[in-house]
Amino acid sequence: MTVRARVAILALLAALMSGGGTALAQEGSALPPAELDNLTAQVAAELRCLVCRGQSVLESNSQLAQEMKGVIRDRLAGGETPDEVKAYFVRSYGEYILLRPEARGVSLLVYVLPALALLGGGLLLLRLFGRWTRPAVGAPSESELSSEEQAWLREQIQGK
C-alpha cells in the first residue's frame, strides 16, 4: 500500500471519527480531559509528520497532522495506551513514522556510530600526541655528543 493510500485511509478514519465518535470516546474515557490532552501531545511529539520535513505531528500545522492528532486522541480516549497508539501508526506507516526509532537492526547504527567515531578520534589523537612527544629515532642524546659538538649545539640554540 502506498503512502498516499495510507494517508487517504487515515484521513477518512479521522473524518468518520470526528463526526461523533470523539464525543462518544470522551464520555467512555476514564481520563480527565487535561490528562488526555497531555498524553495526546506526548504521543504526537514522538511521531513524524508525513507532510512536513523534520517536524513532529505536535509541531506541524498541516491538515494531516491535525487529523493524526485527532486519531491519537480518539484512540487514547478509547482506552489504548500510548505504546499501542504508536504501534498502530508503525503498522500503518512503518518505523519511519517514529522520530526516535528503536535501537535495533539498521537503526542501531544511528546510535552506535557517533560513539565509535568519538572513540576512534580520541585514540588517533592519543597516538599522534605520543609520536610528537617521543624523541626522533636515531637522534643522539646529549651524553653521546663530544664536548665540541655540545658546545656547537649550544651556540646554534642560543643564536650566536
Side-chain angles (χ1 to χ4, degrees), residues 65-79:
Q66 299 306 317
E67 292 170 3
M68 288 175 76
K69 283 184 225 175
V71 171
I72 294 167
R73 183 179 176 85
D74 290 343
R75 286 183 163 271
L76 289 171

Side-chain angles (χ1 to χ4, degrees), residues 125-136:
L125 285 175
L126 282 174
R127 186 170 181 181
L128 288 174
F129 287 143
R131 283 186 183 173
W132 291 336
T133 56
R134 272 188 257 139

Side-chain angles (χ1 to χ4, degrees), residues 25-78:
Q26 286 178 353
E27 288 175 9
S29 173
L31 295 173
E35 189 175 335
L36 184 59
D37 289 340
N38 287 339
L39 271 177
T40 301
Q42 287 175 4
V43 173
E46 295 178 15
L47 298 176
R48 181 184 316 275
C49 177
L50 297 172
V51 176
C52 307
R53 296 271 179 192
Q55 283 189 330
S56 69
V57 170
L58 181 65
E59 298 168 330
S60 175
N61 291 324
S62 71
Q63 180 66 32
L64 177 63
Q66 299 306 317
E67 292 170 3
M68 288 175 76
K69 283 184 225 175
V71 171
I72 294 167
R73 183 179 176 85
D74 290 343
R75 286 183 163 271
L76 289 171

Side-chain angles (χ1 to χ4, degrees), residues 5-127:
R6 289 178 183 167
V7 170
I9 291 171
L10 180 64
L12 179 63
L13 282 173
L16 289 173
M17 293 177 89
S18 66
T22 307
L24 292 174
Q26 286 178 353
E27 288 175 9
S29 173
L31 295 173
E35 189 175 335
L36 184 59
D37 289 340
N38 287 339
L39 271 177
T40 301
Q42 287 175 4
V43 173
E46 295 178 15
L47 298 176
R48 181 184 316 275
C49 177
L50 297 172
V51 176
C52 307
R53 296 271 179 192
Q55 283 189 330
S56 69
V57 170
L58 181 65
E59 298 168 330
S60 175
N61 291 324
S62 71
Q63 180 66 32
L64 177 63
Q66 299 306 317
E67 292 170 3
M68 288 175 76
K69 283 184 225 175
V71 171
I72 294 167
R73 183 179 176 85
D74 290 343
R75 286 183 163 271
L76 289 171
E80 290 186 27
T81 65
D83 288 335
E84 290 171 337
V85 174
K86 286 188 284 186
Y88 163 76
F89 282 100
V90 169
R91 280 192 310 273
S92 299
Y93 299 103
E95 293 255 343
Y96 175 77
I97 195 80
L98 298 175
L99 281 175
R100 283 176 246 111
E102 293 182 30
R104 60 183 164 91
V106 176
S107 301
L108 184 62
L109 292 176
V110 173
Y111 296 98
V112 172
L113 281 180
L116 290 177
L118 279 173
L119 181 65
L123 291 173
L124 179 66
L125 285 175
L126 282 174
R127 186 170 181 181

